[in-house]
Amino acid sequence: MPGELDRLLAATSTGAGVPPLGDLMHRLTGPDDDELGRCATGPLAHLACRSLSYELSRGSTAADAWVTTIIAGLAGQSSVLALLDATDELLASSEFVQSYGRRLHEAFLRAHTVTLSTSPLVAAAFIEGALRLAIVGVGNVVRTLAALTPVEVAALDPDYVERLPRLVGAALDVWGADKASGPALRETLSALQDVPDAAADATFERGLDLLRQVAGGAPGDALDLLLTARRHFANTEAADEARHDAALYGAGVDAVMAFFRGSTDDMRIAHTVLSNQLDQREMWLRRAHIPAWRRPRTEAVYAWSRLTVILDRAQQATAPPVWLDAWSALDSILDAYVLDRSVVPVPGSTDADGLTRLVRPVIESSLVRGQLLLAQVRHAAQEAEHANEPPARIDPLRRLRDRLDQLTLPANGSLADPVDSDVTLRERLGSFAPTVLAELGTAGAATVARQLDDEGLRLVEGIAYNAAVNRESARDPVIARLLKKLSSGLRGCPDYTGAVRHAFDAVLGETVAFLATRHDLQRSADVDYLKPTTPPPLEVRLQDDFADWLRRGHLAGRVDVEVPNVATGRVDIKLGFGTTRFFVEVKRELKDASDHRLERSYLTQAADYSGTSATLGILLVLDLTPHPTGVRHLSECAWVARARPAHSSVDRYVVVAVVVGNRPTPSWYSRAGK
């Protein structure tokens, strides 16, 4: 009778155990294959898979037909939970994975393609199972990664896209260093950061990938990568208060950067935050089900605690002018100088020498400054060599001694100044103040660096770093990426530097926040010009609304409306910062709101106002065109355009910002489709 196998499984299962599948099949009175297939597509599929695994563990040779039936049944599953549980059962069996894993992998990929448009949640479960098999070396890796890197992520179902970042991140754990697969996976993550349902997870995974690159010793500026990763973690926290993993990783990066700056206070704060976050994480994960294949990533975060303790001890050991307990201090320094894999707090394959590339220069410079400490290292290395210490102890000592000799002894063997006179100003900034360099640009940071010694530069770096983290903690990922895109587009402007840049960045921050708020009708319910009205609203409605928004923020007192005699006309909004002025031109568009048409119609006028001040301005457009297929994404609502008048050699940089009006409710599109 249909359902007989389900009843047998339910009746005979005790705890984690079920009878072998052969025993159950012999007790059936109906067609075996049909009944087994129905069970594999139902809610007790995991019990059937557990029974099959038991059968295979006994060395059965009569199970091939049953395996085929179960795999075909799983490919027709409609329950996400049943599919995930059944996958766990099969992948826990080494006999099944070795003999039939490739077949299951192919079935999962086919089922993923079939269900992607009809059952997106089930499709996500299928590609998760295929990825798990590919991670352990079973199945076609290329096809799996191709499924994880779709061309148009925005066109996929939101339920599916929401689950994609974690799977892409797991793939990066394994194949992130691959020159072919790594860039494609990172490109997908970047695209997912612009999709609201996936933005927070994608931003976290992007930060984790950058941190993995630092730990893996990837070429490039490690401190810059670390700073960018910290921004991503802060954006993730801003988007989702429950992302304790992002808070924990952020605190871990804070600890490394505090050690780099030599800030004892910041190290202490970071250690306290880490301890609290780890305790809270343990409490939240208690009794929570974590699949076995995801546990290595979960457990990796606990390495932050040990890493912070090691760095704290090393910092204390190099701080005093005299070592009261020289050998204990030396052990603490060596622990930090040679970090092993057990204290690399990121999942995936990493170079055991990765994070030490950040830590070593700090220790070396501290030891070089103290001749007594330097002598103690040389003496310890000599003592270890004479005492035939094990390689695990003597090799790091030799490495540290040789490196210190390179820094302090020139080729002729005489004592030299430890500071390399050939180090460029940019290298000094990269070594002591990467955040200052990122925030101010090369020219502005160089001005600061020329007037400060190394200790002063580290102090300024700490202020800049904490300010950057606090600022990013108030921005969700989509807004943060849009601001970064605009800032990158403005870097070619000679005026976009120093105090002018800081002032315009403040205007940009308010403008993007305004766009985000007006893009979401839930947060702008009383703003009538956003909804379809007859006749269409005039541009003055947007002008007054934006000016009122600016007056309510930290730019209050700098805003003027309808200012005459600017260029040869009247400008809509002026923002004054002393002798520097920025102008906002407000327009409405009824026919064609494409990027090219907006620039063609209004860019010249908006740019003309900046002829006597900073060559920076804003064109704010109210898009009142019809939207029969939906509206553009927030990330597409602002961009940088350049204009240059004839016979002029000076470019004007204008940020074009679009507020989408004439918007029906989302349910209108469903009614219109009928």
Side-chain angles (χ1 to χ4, degrees):
M1 294 177 61
E4 186 176 354
L5 181 57
D6 281 351
R7 288 191 289 272
L8 282 174
L9 285 169
T12 58
S13 61
T14 55
V18 291
L21 186 59
D23 293 356
L24 293 174
M25 298 298 284
H26 290 146
R27 295 171 59 181
L28 293 179
T29 58
D32 295 353
D33 290 347
D34 290 347
E35 182 66 7
L36 184 58
R38 281 193 294 268
C39 181
T41 61
L44 297 186
H46 65 292
L47 293 181
C49 292
R50 187 182 304 170
S51 182
L52 173 64
S53 299
Y54 188 10
E55 181 73 27
L56 293 174
S57 69
R58 301 198 306 175
S60 172
T61 59
D64 189 73
W66 298 337
V67 171
T68 302
T69 302
I70 285 180
I71 290 178
L74 291 179
Q77 261 289 347
S78 59
S79 167
V80 174
L81 294 179
L83 179 58
L84 292 175
D85 288 343
T87 303
D88 286 342
E89 295 293 343
L90 293 180
L91 269 58
S93 169
S94 59
E95 293 86 2
F96 179 89
V97 172
Q98 183 176 359
S99 301
Y100 305 104
R102 185 173 295 275
R103 194 187 302 179
L104 180 65
H105 182 270
E106 290 293 328
F108 277 174
L109 287 181
R110 288 194 300 270
H112 168 261
T113 302
V114 171
T115 58
L116 185 57
S117 58
T118 57
S119 303
L121 290 176
V122 178
F126 278 126
I127 194 59
E128 178 181 314
L131 175 62
R132 292 174 60 182
L133 285 163
I135 286 175
V136 296
V138 176
N140 191 317
V141 174
V142 175
R143 289 181 57 198
T144 306
L145 295 181
L148 289 173
T149 53
V151 178
E152 292 289 341
V153 295
L156 297 172
D157 188 278
D159 287 335
Y160 180 83
V161 172
E162 187 177 0
R163 285 150 181 80
L164 198 54
R166 294 180 186 271
L167 300 179
V168 175
L172 280 169
D173 288 347
V174 182
W175 298 289
D178 183 79
K179 294 182 179 179
S181 305
L185 291 167
R186 293 185 182 98
E187 185 177 346
T188 299
L189 271 187
S190 181
L192 288 169
Q193 285 182 274
D194 290 329
V195 180
D197 295 288
D201 284 342
T203 300
F204 172 76
E205 294 294 344
R206 190 71 185 96
L208 196 60
D209 180 56
L210 292 171
L211 192 58
R212 191 185 302 112
Q213 292 179 52
V214 174
D221 190 342
L223 286 171
D224 185 57
L225 292 176
L226 205 62
L227 175 61
T228 306
R230 183 62 182 96
R231 294 179 188 271
H232 285 317
F233 296 139
N235 293 154
T236 305
E237 288 184 75
D240 188 350
E241 295 180 356
R243 288 306 299 262
H244 50 278
D245 49 358
L248 195 147
Y249 273 95
V253 175
D254 291 343
V256 175
M257 294 298 285
F259 178 79
F260 154 77
R261 297 192 304 271
S263 174
T264 304
D265 291 339
D266 287 345
M267 274 287 295
R268 187 180 300 110
I269 293 172
H271 193 190
T272 301
V273 173
L274 267 173
S275 299
N276 293 338
Q277 288 290 342
L278 286 169
D279 290 343
Q280 193 172 37
R281 180 182 178 83
E282 185 176 0
M283 179 183 67
W284 282 344
L285 293 181
R286 192 176 300 159
R287 298 190 183 94
H289 172 67
I290 301 175
W293 73 284
R294 286 172 51 187
R295 286 173 193 162
R297 168 174 281 210
T298 303
E299 293 165 358
V301 301
Y302 290 96
W304 280 121
S305 182
R306 185 182 172 201
L307 175 63
T308 306
V309 170
I310 290 174
L311 296 182
D312 185 50
R313 290 176 178 172
Q315 187 179 58
Q316 293 178 18
T318 56
V322 178
W323 290 355
L324 300 179
D325 188 351
W327 290 108
S328 175
L330 185 57
D331 285 340
S332 298
I333 291 174
L334 286 178
D335 280 343
Y337 196 74
V338 184
L339 294 173
D340 57 52
R341 287 183 182 274
S342 65
V343 291
V344 177
V346 288
S349 300
T350 56
D351 179 1
D353 232 14
L355 281 178
T356 57
R357 290 183 174 87
L358 289 174
V359 174
R360 282 176 183 168
V362 178
I363 294 175
E364 290 166 357
S365 61
S366 299
L367 293 175
V368 165
R369 287 196 299 266
Q371 292 299 314
L372 180 60
L373 312 187
L374 186 61
Q376 187 63 46
V377 171
R378 294 194 176 105
H379 176 69
Q382 185 177 9
E383 286 288 316
E385 289 174 344
H386 290 321
N388 294 322
E389 293 279 353
R393 177 178 175 81
I394 194 172
D395 289 346
L397 272 171
R398 285 174 176 166
R399 188 187 309 169
L400 179 57
R401 179 196 61 190
D402 295 343
R403 175 60 181 158
L404 294 175
D405 287 343
Q406 291 175 6
L407 292 172
T408 56
L409 295 176
N412 59 11
S414 60
L415 196 63
D417 191 322
V419 179
D420 185 353
S421 59
D422 295 330
V423 174
T424 64
L425 185 61
R426 182 173 176 84
E427 289 173 335
R428 180 170 175 246
L429 285 166
S431 299
F432 294 104
T435 313
V436 175
L437 182 62
E439 292 288 301
L440 300 182
T442 303
T447 302
V448 174
R450 289 191 186 99
Q451 303 179 50
L452 296 172
D453 59 13
D454 292 348
E455 293 302 321
L457 197 56
R458 282 196 179 98
L459 179 61
V460 173
E461 164 66 15
I463 297 172
Y465 176 80
N466 291 330
V469 172
N470 291 335
R471 183 175 63 251
E472 296 299 328
S473 296
R475 294 173 177 167
D476 72 43
V478 176
I479 291 178
R481 277 175 58 81
L482 181 54
L483 285 170
K484 183 179 180 181
K485 181 184 77 171
L486 297 176
S487 180
S488 298
L490 293 170
R491 285 179 182 172
C493 179
D495 293 337
Y496 188 61
T497 184
V500 175
R501 174 177 177 175
H502 283 292
F504 198 67
D505 280 348
V507 176
L508 280 183
E510 290 293 319
T511 303
V512 172
F514 177 77
L515 293 180
T517 303
R518 294 299 176 259
H519 205 69
D520 188 351
L521 292 179
Q522 183 181 11
R523 292 180 287 183
S524 303
D526 297 330
V527 183
D528 56 355
Y529 67 81
L530 296 176
K531 302 174 183 178
T533 58
T534 303
L538 300 176
E539 60 198 39
V540 68
R541 289 288 295 111
L542 175 60
Q543 173 185 313
D544 292 342
D545 187 30
F546 185 52
D548 184 60
W549 173 277
L550 295 175
R551 293 190 187 102
R552 293 172 183 270
H554 62 274
L555 297 181
R558 302 182 182 275
V559 183
D560 291 305
V561 177
E562 294 291 342
V563 181
N565 303 320
V566 178
T568 56
R570 179 186 298 270
V571 73
D572 293 326
I573 299 175
K574 183 194 81 172
L575 292 117
F577 295 83
T579 57
T580 300
R581 301 172 299 166
F582 305 120
F583 301 104
V584 182
E585 178 63 18
V586 183
K587 294 292 184 183
R588 71 169 182 170
E589 178 57 43
L590 300 172
K591 297 180 180 179
D592 185 354
S594 63
D595 295 3
H596 172 73
R597 183 57 185 266
L598 293 180
E599 292 181 20
R600 182 180 176 182
S601 300
Y602 310 118
L603 184 60
T604 301
Q605 179 184 352
D608 198 50
Y609 291 116
S610 60
T612 59
S613 189
T615 55
L616 296 159
I618 294 177
L619 169 62
L620 186 63
V621 181
L622 177 58
D623 174 11
L624 296 176
T625 60
H627 308 293
T629 59
V631 301
R632 63 172 78 197
H633 186 262
L634 175 62
S635 62
E636 302 170 308
C637 287
W639 65 93
V640 177
R642 289 191 296 177
R644 179 185 294 187
H647 313 297
S648 174
S649 60
V650 179
D651 283 333
R652 317 287 174 83
Y653 288 75
V654 178
V655 174
V656 184
V658 178
V659 176
V660 183
N662 193 27
R663 296 177 60 184
T665 62
S667 61
W668 177 89
Y669 296 106
S670 298
R671 294 195 298 271
K674 296 179 180 179

